[in-house]
Amino acid sequence: MGDKDKLINEESIEEGSSTSIPKKVAKKVVKSQLPWYFGTGSLLFWGLLFFSIVVPLFYRLPTPLTINDSNKGVFIAERAYNTLSGFASIGTKVVGSQGNEVDTVQYLLNQLAIIKEEILDDFFDLEIEVQKPTGEYIYMTIVNRYQSIQNIVVKLSPKNSTSETYLLVNSHFDSQPTSPSVGDAGHMIVSILEVLRVIGSTRQTFTHPIVFLLNGAEENPLQGSHGFITQHKWAPFCKAVINLDAAGSGGREILFQTGPDSPWLVDYYKKNAKYPFATTMAEELFQTGLLPSDTDFQIFNAYGSLVGFDIAQVINGYVYHTLNDRIDVIPLGALQNTGDNLLSLVRALSNATELFNPEAYETGHAIFFDVLGLFFVSYSATNAVYFNYAVAAATILLVFLSLWRIAVKSNITLESALLWGIVVLVIQVIGFVLGVALPIVVAYVMDKYGLSLSYFSHPILLIGLYVCPSLLGLSLPAYIYFKLQRNPKIPYPSQIQLALHGYAVVLAVLAIALNYYGLRTTYVFTWTLIFYVIPLALNLLLTLQDRGYAWTALLKIAQVFPFLYNSYLFYTFIAALTPMMGRYGASTNPDLYVSVLASLGSLLSLGFLILLVNIYRRPSLVFLVLLAISGVTIYAATSTQVGFPYRAKTNVQRVPYLQVRRTFYEYDGTVSKDESGYLFNFQDRRKQVPFEDYVNLTGIVSLEDDCDKYMFCGVPLYDDRWYSRRLQAMWLPREEPIIPPSIPSLELLSKTVLSDNTTVRLEFNLTGPDHISVFVQPYEDVAIGNWSFIRTMLDDPTTYPAPYHIYSSYGSNDAPLNFFLELEKPDGDFDVPLLQLGISGHFIGNEGDKQAIEFADSFPPFSALVEWPASYHRYIY
């Protein structure tokens, strides 16, 4: 290319340009650009790549093995499925119910008896116990008390083993109301049983005894694990745990927490998981507390200092905690996937030398991630810090060298090239901000018009709602700049390269900032940059960047890798989090979170590629395609049934409510308030709007005024999540009184003034259903000095101010709750009102009276009701 050609700004002959250049040269430059249809064709290519490779690999499951393969000493999905079928037939398994405490416990014990017959007695010892712990601890803002819940604890030991180091494998069999708990977590329970069967019936021994905990009170919440780790005789010997849970059903299970501070565990996962599915990003996101879920893993770590794996089902979270959590949504391949991984991990960890002294191997965190489920990458967090900084620095250095090269070949000074580079960098900062901001604006506007969650049943709408606006936001500033600027000194291909350099520097600076802040998720930015740095270095070495658009070939090839990984990674989060947004609560716009995830996924997957749109003759056509996709999507989401979030059975709206009878007794025993109604605790942003045309909601009001007036709003708030969402709760009065199946009985046994004359001791006896709550609110001049519950709340009034909520449940033993309160009052006058006591009883599994049943029947098919009668009595003592 001659000097004259070098000085020509090819953009100057683009559509609408007014710069005058010789016609022969103009024709030559135009011919050097790719035809316009390659621009729109590239969008199609990357879309096809996503749907033909990423999506199939995301949902890929192994071929399930059948009973005919039993002699191979491997996990048999068909046998696990048969066990799961029997488990599913029991139905719901709420703590305290016949289904949980009798039917499920007996069913699992029968399965264990069958397995015991197959154990090789010459090699192993098998011990089976039913633990019935009673205890309490602080969960969120409540005293979480449990009584005689049931855990089935199984220990498999090598014959004559003297090891005092055990591996714990845990999952739970209890359920939420209405759910048969097939996915959460029957899937994991039967996987544990099959792994126990395989290990115990094959002649492959191991070093550390294995404790299999089938815990019967996880949903309550997390009581079974607390009862085991704080009270069972085998608990002190457990050094590591594989915790298995679910927030979905029927797919691959993801490793979303490890350690803590035990990178050796990640190495074991890397070497032994047959079908890896894991990411550091999931671990960091879960530990922010933003997700509406908890697991037993935190209990084992907090109360037993156990390290280990937290693994869960996350695909198809739409059925989670609903009556649709059935066996027909679980393919046999999902059981095979879980079983093969679990069997390999249990075998490996039960032979791990690190288990003898895990503390000696606490060397920090690890970076880990799978690549499309095909292989697993991990390295230490310490190395990651240096690696992240090194890649970011290499990016900036190579960009500088490229600018120097452009200056040399363009016969301009380095200072001029740097100046143009800075201008383009500013343009790319604007583009990146717009790439994130435009999807957020869409999410905000949709929510403002009551149209949040429009993608809930059709996640493909996210492409038009958020992906396309994100790509437009990133690429439009550069396009407009190239249309308006007049710089004939730098060749147009080099100007486009400057835009990509600017974007690379933006990512590098973000990587440095995130790395400095300590986020291990920085690895996503680092590996995205690596596949820009490599082609950039090669283009410099081979002088391809001096030859028109030749440099784009290597770049496009290299970009296949970050596109595949980043789109896979963010699709994982979209698939997992979209169903969660249906239970994220009414106070927060969930679309904001989804829009940010979708925009970051778009920018990291397609950021460099969308900026190449300017190498085509009519880049505006690409923008028109993106705008058209967004326009059609927004129309479908706002004006058709496609955008209605809910579908019967597959994408239901969760509607939790209580049939409440509340009665307020004054100090003299008179009743000041006695009313009935339905208390709604909406879990989604749209609240009652989707079903208000089906259900008579005349008179429904916010509970906020009652929350200002009464202790705990004067209603039977079920648990901490009900309390945290109390200001969004709604009350629908009912004229006909609700008659609960029974009334919790609170008896004041004694009232004794203690020797200091400033303290009085009240002793109570409380009987009621298997789920009751005690709400305590002392008056202003009264303090609770002691009580029969855990003292943590009383010792830390700043963290746990009054009023107090004691949540209590029982499993196999319905003995009354006896408790005392010691009240301190400086003037010693105890013949006046001292405190308010609220008593609530929850009759889970009861349908209620005829009117309540008719009310429930009026809801549309897409409503998944979770409701039961509940009573609330306020007393003053």
Side-chain angles (χ1 to χ4, degrees):
M1 181 180 290
D3 290 341
K4 184 176 182 181
D5 293 342
K6 292 179 185 177
L7 298 177
I8 293 176
N9 174 3
E10 296 177 23
E11 175 63 9
S12 64
I13 60 151
E14 284 286 291
E15 340 164 25
S17 172
S18 60
T19 301
S20 176
I21 59 174
K23 291 183 179 179
K24 290 183 179 180
V25 176
K27 290 180 180 179
K28 179 179 178 181
V29 174
V30 169
K31 288 180 180 179
S32 72
Q33 293 181 291
L34 293 174
W36 63 268
Y37 48 81
F38 278 106
T40 51
S42 66
L43 289 179
L44 180 62
F45 170 79
W46 295 107
L48 289 175
L49 200 64
F50 174 76
F51 286 106
S52 63
I53 295 180
V54 174
V55 173
L57 286 177
F58 179 80
Y59 291 104
R60 186 181 63 161
L61 294 171
T63 301
L65 299 181
T66 67
I67 302 296
N68 295 331
D69 300 300
S70 296
N71 60 349
K72 298 177 182 178
V74 292
F75 186 96
I76 305 299
E78 183 182 12
R79 187 159 50 201
Y81 190 88
N82 293 338
T83 306
L84 185 60
S85 179
F87 180 89
S89 67
I90 297 172
T92 58
K93 306 167 184 70
V94 178
V95 169
S97 68
Q98 169 82 16
N100 195 64
E101 308 305 329
V102 179
D103 299 341
T104 302
V105 170
Q106 192 57 55
Y107 177 76
L108 294 176
L109 289 174
N110 291 342
Q111 293 300 311
L112 287 167
I114 295 171
I115 292 172
K116 190 170 185 177
E117 294 297 319
E118 301 180 30
I119 298 297
L120 299 178
D121 293 335
D122 294 338
F123 289 83
F124 308 109
D125 290 321
L126 184 67
E127 301 172 68
I128 303 172
E129 293 188 358
V130 177
Q131 182 200 21
K132 299 183 179 182
T134 295
E136 62 187 7
Y137 71 100
I138 301 296
Y139 177 78
M140 300 295 187
T141 60
I142 66 175
V143 175
N144 189 11
R145 181 187 179 276
Y146 53 91
Q147 175 179 301
S148 299
I149 57 174
Q150 296 192 91
N151 293 325
I152 300 175
V153 193
V154 183
K155 185 173 74 165
L156 183 68
S157 308
K159 203 71 176 179
N160 302 318
S161 171
T162 59
S163 173
E164 294 186 350
T165 300
Y166 301 171
L167 170 67
L168 175 64
V169 182
N170 170 74
S171 192
H172 70 93
F173 57 81
D174 66 310
S175 77
Q176 286 281 347
T178 77
S179 172
S181 67
V182 179
D184 179 29
H187 177 129
M188 299 305 191
I189 289 290
V190 301
S191 296
I192 287 175
L193 292 176
E194 182 63 13
V195 165
L196 169 61
R197 185 199 308 268
V198 173
I199 294 179
S201 61
T202 53
R203 299 174 185 270
Q204 184 175 338
T205 190
F206 47 90
T207 303
H208 310 292
I210 308 166
V211 175
F212 297 93
L213 173 59
L214 313 179
N215 98 60
E218 189 268 353
E219 301 288 7
N220 239 34
L222 313 183
Q223 295 173 345
S225 55
H226 184 268
F228 171 81
I229 202 64
T230 60
Q231 300 178 42
H232 197 274
K233 63 183 179 182
W234 294 333
F237 303 103
C238 295
K239 302 300 181 183
V241 60
I242 301 175
N243 185 61
L244 304 167
D245 209 335
S249 188
R252 297 185 295 152
E253 71 287 346
I254 187 171
L255 170 64
F256 65 98
Q257 285 194 102
T258 66
D261 298 322
S262 302
W264 64 271
L265 285 164
V266 177
D267 292 335
Y268 272 82
Y269 185 87
K270 180 178 183 178
K271 295 173 184 175
N272 295 284
K274 292 185 67 175
Y275 314 109
F277 186 29
T279 169
T280 297
M281 186 174 170
E283 181 174 78
E284 290 194 318
L285 181 61
F286 186 83
Q287 292 174 356
T288 63
L290 289 174
L291 303 184
S293 293
D294 293 304
T295 75
D296 288 321
F297 187 79
Q298 70 182 66
I299 298 295
F300 294 127
N301 179 249
Y303 293 93
S305 299
L306 271 63
V307 298
F309 298 130
D310 205 2
I311 298 172
Q313 288 281 326
V314 294
I315 297 172
N316 192 20
Y318 297 106
V319 303
Y320 171 72
H321 286 181
T322 73
L323 51 81
N324 298 315
D325 185 9
R326 305 182 309 268
I327 193 168
D328 58 358
V329 301
I330 300 179
L332 270 75
L335 285 166
Q336 192 68 52
N337 195 94
T338 300
D340 284 347
N341 280 340
L342 181 60
L343 179 59
S344 296
L345 291 172
V346 171
R347 286 197 188 279
L349 290 182
S350 62
N351 284 295
T353 57
E354 292 87 350
L355 225 58
F356 286 113
N357 186 15
E359 293 84 359
Y361 298 91
E362 292 182 354
T363 57
H365 293 288
I367 309 302
F368 58 90
F369 55 94
D370 74 290
V371 180
L372 284 79
L374 302 176
F375 60 92
F376 189 78
V377 177
S378 67
Y379 46 94
S380 75
T382 302
N383 291 337
V385 171
Y386 298 116
F387 183 52
N388 295 336
Y389 281 137
V391 172
T395 301
I396 295 171
L397 176 61
L398 286 172
V399 166
F400 176 80
L401 291 176
S402 179
L403 288 173
W404 171 78
R405 182 76 178 175
I406 289 172
V408 171
K409 300 303 291 183
S410 302
N411 292 324
I412 61 175
T413 64
L414 178 59
E415 290 77 5
S416 297
L418 287 172
L419 179 61
W420 284 109
I422 291 172
V423 171
V424 174
L425 173 61
V426 172
I427 296 297
Q428 290 313 123
V429 170
I430 295 172
F432 188 88
V433 171
L434 286 175
V436 176
L438 287 183
I440 292 176
V441 169
V442 173
Y444 174 80
V445 172
M446 293 284 285
D447 179 69
K448 189 171 181 62
Y449 287 94
L451 297 170
S452 60
L453 295 172
S454 58
Y455 51 82
F456 192 71
S457 290
H458 296 92
I460 197 170
L461 294 177
L462 294 172
I463 294 175
L465 290 174
Y466 305 135
V467 173
C468 290
S470 181
L471 296 177
L472 282 167
L474 177 64
S475 56
L476 268 176
Y479 170 73
I480 294 170
Y481 170 73
F482 289 140
K483 290 291 292 180
L484 298 179
Q485 67 87 25
R486 298 290 182 266
N487 180 19
K489 295 181 179 180
I490 300 178
Y492 185 60
S494 296
Q495 294 186 47
I496 295 177
Q497 195 169 31
L498 285 179
L500 274 71
H501 289 347
Y503 184 62
V505 171
V506 170
L507 295 185
V509 171
L510 284 172
I512 291 170
L514 294 174
N515 202 41
Y516 179 79
Y517 187 70
L519 287 180
R520 286 171 286 140
T521 301
T522 306
Y523 86 86
V524 182
F525 290 82
T526 296
W527 283 96
T528 301
L529 285 171
I530 284 174
F531 289 97
Y532 185 74
V533 167
I534 290 173
L536 176 55
L538 290 174
N539 280 323
L540 284 170
L541 288 172
L542 300 175
T543 68
L544 293 179
Q545 82 161 39
D546 305 333
R547 308 177 194 176
Y549 297 109
W551 57 270
T552 64
L554 282 178
L555 176 66
K556 290 175 183 176
I557 294 171
Q559 285 301 298
V560 170
F561 301 99
F563 171 79
L564 291 176
Y565 176 72
N566 288 332
S567 60
Y568 167 82
L569 174 68
F570 283 90
Y571 184 76
T572 297
F573 285 99
I574 292 296
L577 297 185
T578 295
M580 289 186 188
M581 297 301 99
R583 55 187 176 90
Y584 205 75
S587 63
T588 302
N589 177 9
D591 295 10
L592 296 177
Y593 297 105
V594 175
S595 65
V596 170
L597 270 177
S599 64
L600 289 177
S602 305
L603 297 177
L604 291 169
S605 302
L606 290 164
F608 290 110
L609 294 165
I610 195 64
L611 292 173
L612 290 176
V613 68
N614 294 291
I615 70 174
Y616 307 112
R617 292 181 188 169
R618 296 180 182 175
S620 57
L621 290 178
V622 174
F623 300 131
L624 287 174
V625 169
L626 294 174
L627 281 171
I629 294 173
S630 287
V632 170
T633 302
I634 291 173
Y635 173 79
T638 58
S639 304
T640 73
Q641 278 297 305
V642 172
F644 184 72
Y646 307 113
R647 301 292 185 274
K649 296 184 179 180
T650 57
N651 308 81
V652 296
Q653 181 187 25
R654 301 159 191 269
V655 186
Y657 69 90
L658 301 177
Q659 309 162 26
V660 176
R661 175 76 173 269
R662 59 176 182 170
T663 308
F664 291 73
Y665 292 92
E666 296 304 317
Y667 184 61
D668 60 3
T670 61
V671 175
S672 60
K673 190 182 190 69
D674 182 2
E675 66 177 3
S676 298
Y678 302 108
L679 174 64
F680 288 90
N681 174 36
F682 295 110
Q683 293 195 10
D684 70 304
R685 184 68 164 173
R686 293 206 179 190
K687 300 174 72 172
Q688 75 272 22
V689 174
F691 58 80
E692 60 186 2
D693 291 336
Y694 298 84
V695 183
N696 183 4
L697 299 176
T698 303
I700 193 168
V701 294
S702 170
L703 198 66
E704 194 167 352
D705 287 344
D706 279 1
C707 293
D708 293 334
K709 193 183 307 182
Y710 303 115
M711 170 184 63
F712 285 105
C713 308
V715 291
L717 299 174
Y718 177 58
D719 57 18
D720 185 77
R721 296 195 185 279
W722 279 68
Y723 173 72
S724 65
R725 296 171 178 174
R726 67 194 183 283
L727 298 182
Q728 287 74 48
M730 304 289 282
W731 175 261
L732 179 63
R734 179 178 130 168
E735 289 186 10
E736 182 180 336
I738 290 173
I739 310 297
S742 64
I743 301 296
S745 173
L746 179 68
E747 180 184 2
L748 177 61
L749 300 177
S750 65
K751 180 177 180 179
T752 307
V753 178
L754 302 187
S755 57
D756 62 1
N757 292 321
T758 60
T759 303
V760 65
R761 180 185 178 101
L762 306 180
E763 296 190 17
F764 296 92
N765 176 282
L766 175 61
T767 59
D770 46 52
H771 289 73
I772 58 176
S773 285
V774 179
F775 305 99
V776 184
Q777 171 75 72
Y779 284 111
E780 288 185 9
D781 57 343
V782 179
I784 299 178
N786 196 10
W787 61 6
S788 54
F789 307 109
I790 189 170
R791 281 200 56 88
T792 306
M793 284 190 169
L794 301 183
D795 294 338
D796 188 5
T798 302
T799 305
Y800 305 106
Y804 305 109
H805 179 185
I806 295 90
Y807 172 94
S808 181
S809 62
Y810 64 75
S812 59
N813 184 345
D814 62 355
L817 169 60
N818 292 300
F819 66 96
F820 71 85
L821 302 171
E822 291 185 0
L823 308 178
E824 299 174 349
K825 195 166 185 285
D827 63 7
D829 181 6
F830 300 116
D831 294 324
V832 295
L834 302 174
L835 84 162
Q836 299 180 64
L837 273 184
I839 304 297
S840 70
H842 294 268
F843 304 89
I844 301 173
N846 191 293
E847 291 183 323
D849 57 25
K850 180 181 178 181
Q851 184 173 337
I853 294 173
E854 291 174 351
F855 180 73
D857 289 343
S858 68
F859 282 82
F862 60 76
S863 297
L865 306 185
V866 182
E867 45 93 23
W868 59 82
S871 64
Y872 177 84
H873 292 79
R874 196 281 310 271
Y875 304 95
I876 298 177
Y877 290 94

